[in-house]
Amino acid sequence: MTPEQATPTLTTHDRCDACGAQAYVRVELASGGELHFCAHHARKHNAAIEPLASHIHDETDRLHADASSTAAR
C-alpha cells in the first residue's frame, strides 16, 4: 500500500466544484490547477475530464467503507 492509499488526502473540507458536496475525487489538470468532484459529478463528467487530466485521485471507495462501518453500528 502506498502512503497515498494509506492516508486519504481529501477531507470533509474539500468540496465538489459542481455542487458543494464532499469531494471524493481530485483531478489534477495537465494545464495546471485542480478540480474536486463528489462521486456523482466525477462519474457524470468523467469522459470530458479524462483527456484533460494529468492525474485523477479517486477516493470513492471510501463511500462504501463509510457505509459499511455505519451499518455495523
Side-chain angles (χ1 to χ4, degrees):
M1 203 179 262
T2 67
E4 183 177 72
Q5 291 170 327
T7 306
T9 57
L10 293 169
T11 70
T12 56
H13 298 288
D14 295 306
R15 309 313 285 180
C16 176
D17 290 322
C19 70
Q22 183 174 346
Y24 285 93
V25 178
R26 183 183 64 242
V27 179
E28 295 174 13
L29 300 171
S31 62
E34 62 184 38
L35 297 170
H36 293 91
F37 292 103
C38 63
H40 165 77
H41 283 110
R43 284 189 305 269
K44 181 178 179 180
H45 299 296
N46 187 52
I49 291 168
E50 276 190 345
L52 305 174
S54 61
H55 179 73
I56 298 175
H57 178 80
D58 185 344
E59 294 184 11
T60 55
D61 58 325
R62 289 178 42 213
L63 290 169
H64 302 293
D66 291 347
S68 295
S69 65
T70 302
R73 291 183 195 167

